[in-house]
Amino acid sequence: MKGLSTKILSLAYDGVTIIRDLDLAIPSGKITALVGANGCGKSTLLRGLARLLKPCGGTVYLDGESILKLSTKKVAQQLGILPQSPTAPEGLTVRDLVAQGRYPYQNWLQQWSAKDEKIVQQALETTDLLNLADRALDTLSGGQRQRAWIAMTLAQDTDILLLDEPTTFLDLAHQIEVLDLLYELNQNQERTIVMVLHDLNQACRYADYLVAVKQGRIFTAGEPKQVMTEEMVQEVFGLECRIVADPLVGTPMCVPIGRKARKN
């Protein structure tokens, strides 16, 4: 089986099980969003998929093989991961950061090549960072920095990208900038993208497939129009809401009901 999947996967921190007996198949060539309340296990699941956290039960499969049986270099050539709030050495330029994405292809026999240079250049072009390539990363805006980190994962030249809350701490304009970029990568290059998102409406607008996680288990999964229901939001988030159609794209849109709305 091509792509990324799990079978009865369990993940734990310090002996406390966070993800329990989870079966999941990530649709290849699509955008999948993991959603759920804080502490439900979304980021833990993403770390397990990326082999950053060893399962305490079950298996993660990459193209039909147990990911634990694959070499670190092979995994890095097939799967790119962007964690929450990544950090880089002070003074590192955008181009230097993006070039780090080529490390999985380097060894003592194969040093930096014209192909590496071409792929780095393409990653900078795709993320619209050519004019900032020689700038220090810490002089950029939040949206520009996030694009630089995405460019680094693109330079890995992997079919699968995993992103943990790529819009966190960004203002609304920069959130949309990053999500538009990921959407274009998926549409133009057919990259499989899995991302943790907090904003349900953005998840519905940009993702082809939603996975709603509750207390370490999949509560429901499918297309946004199937998953995004008032019942799901109540059960997973403990929030009363109304689901209406997004006036621009027609995807489900969650309208929370708070105390003020009840008074009216």
Side-chain angles (χ1 to χ4, degrees):
M1 178 182 176
K2 296 289 286 183
L4 197 59
S5 63
T6 73
K7 189 70 175 177
I8 56 174
L9 177 68
S10 293
L11 300 164
Y13 283 118
D14 298 325
V16 178
T17 301
I18 308 297
I19 296 292
R20 297 178 181 275
D21 301 330
L22 189 143
D23 292 343
L24 176 64
I26 301 296
S28 294
K30 304 290 185 181
I31 297 177
T32 295
L34 307 179
V35 300
N38 288 343
C40 71
K42 305 183 298 297
S43 294
T44 300
L45 173 57
L46 200 77
R47 287 176 59 82
L49 292 174
R51 208 179 73 167
L52 298 178
L53 185 61
K54 186 176 180 180
C56 59
T59 308
V60 176
Y61 294 97
L62 180 58
D63 290 343
E65 295 184 73
S66 168
I67 201 169
L68 291 179
K69 294 181 180 179
L70 302 175
S71 70
T72 298
K73 177 170 284 193
K74 186 170 183 180
V75 172
Q77 291 174 354
Q78 294 179 263
L79 190 155
I81 173 72
L82 181 59
Q84 284 187 51
S85 306
T87 58
E90 187 175 348
L92 194 73
T93 68
V94 172
R95 189 183 299 276
D96 289 340
L97 175 70
V98 177
Q100 290 186 8
R102 299 305 298 161
Y103 284 178
Y105 301 91
Q106 310 297 308
N107 56 52
W108 67 280
L109 285 176
Q110 180 177 331
Q111 300 300 314
W112 192 262
S113 66
K115 180 180 179 181
D116 295 319
E117 192 66 40
K118 180 180 179 181
I119 289 176
V120 167
Q121 191 77 359
Q122 288 174 339
L124 290 167
E125 290 175 0
T126 298
T127 52
D128 196 23
L129 288 171
L130 274 178
N131 63 328
L132 299 174
D134 297 320
R135 285 266 301 272
L137 194 67
D138 51 15
T139 68
L140 304 184
S141 71
Q144 290 168 336
R145 281 197 302 273
Q146 198 69 323
R147 279 194 282 131
W149 284 104
I150 292 171
M152 186 195 72
T153 64
L154 292 183
Q156 276 185 248
D157 199 23
T158 63
D159 291 331
I160 302 173
L161 298 177
L162 306 179
L163 304 104
D164 194 355
E165 299 184 23
T167 59
T168 297
F169 307 126
L170 299 181
D171 62 34
L172 186 57
H174 287 129
Q175 290 176 31
I176 299 304
E177 175 185 318
V178 168
L179 291 171
D180 279 345
L181 170 60
L182 295 172
Y183 176 76
E184 289 163 6
L185 289 172
N186 169 258
Q187 293 294 297
N188 298 333
Q189 301 180 17
E190 297 184 348
R191 306 249 187 171
T192 299
I193 294 174
V194 185
M195 54 184 172
V196 173
L197 285 180
H198 277 298
D199 190 307
L200 291 177
N201 294 333
Q202 290 180 355
C204 286
R205 181 178 281 194
Y206 285 93
D208 303 293
Y209 194 77
L210 293 186
V211 178
V213 181
K214 179 182 180 182
Q215 296 177 350
R217 300 180 186 273
I218 295 177
F219 181 80
T220 185
E223 295 179 3
K225 62 183 179 182
Q226 299 170 322
V227 171
M228 185 58 67
T229 65
E230 294 171 8
E231 292 75 18
M232 183 280 286
V233 176
Q234 179 66 61
E235 287 291 328
V236 172
F237 294 91
L239 177 68
E240 187 179 354
C241 73
R242 293 292 179 266
I243 301 297
V244 299
D246 185 312
L248 294 181
V249 294
T251 52
M253 188 168 73
C254 174
V255 181
I257 298 175
R259 293 178 182 175
K260 184 176 181 180
R262 292 190 186 96
K263 289 180 180 179
N264 294 333

